[in-house]
Amino acid sequence: MSKISKEALNAINKKAGKNISESSVKKLASTVKPSTLQSEAELRRLIKQVSAMAKVPVTESTISEIIGAVKKSGMNPNNMEALMKLMLKK
């Protein structure tokens, strides 16, 4: 994965209220494949991993909203920055 933009990393840290390292985000992002965004179970797993990494609890209703937004957006599964921005809106 290429370098994560400072803007995206700052947004993650601001939203989480914690200091999450670029290497942690890259490590998690490296596990995401295009098929991850096509599978509801994989999306749920990813959202829960992000939640655990940020130490921010996410309700089942919020997880369902994020999954719906990802599926509705038709975003490019290779664009992790767009996925992070989408998740930060929730």
Side-chain angles (χ1 to χ4, degrees):
M1 176 179 191
S2 62
K3 185 168 177 63
I4 296 171
S5 76
K6 287 192 186 280
E7 178 185 311
L9 191 58
N10 287 339
I12 292 167
N13 286 324
K14 183 178 178 182
K15 185 76 170 186
K18 313 227 178 349
N19 188 18
I20 300 169
S21 71
E22 181 178 351
S23 62
S24 295
V25 174
K26 286 174 105 173
K27 183 178 178 182
L28 180 61
S30 71
T31 68
V32 178
K33 298 170 181 56
S35 61
T36 302
L37 300 184
Q38 304 303 315
S39 165
E40 186 170 325
E42 288 295 311
L43 273 172
R44 282 185 183 281
R45 184 182 60 77
L46 175 62
I47 294 164
K48 289 177 181 180
Q49 286 178 315
V50 171
S51 171
M53 180 175 66
K55 296 182 177 85
V56 175
V58 180
T59 65
E60 282 300 316
S61 63
T62 300
I63 291 172
S64 295
E65 286 180 37
I66 293 169
I67 290 170
V70 168
K71 288 183 176 184
K72 186 177 178 181
S73 74
M75 82 172 57
N76 179 347
N78 295 315
N79 188 346
M80 278 304 297
E81 192 164 334
L83 178 60
M84 289 188 298
K85 286 179 181 178
L86 177 67
M87 292 175 76
L88 290 173
K89 289 180 184 177
K90 293 294 175 189

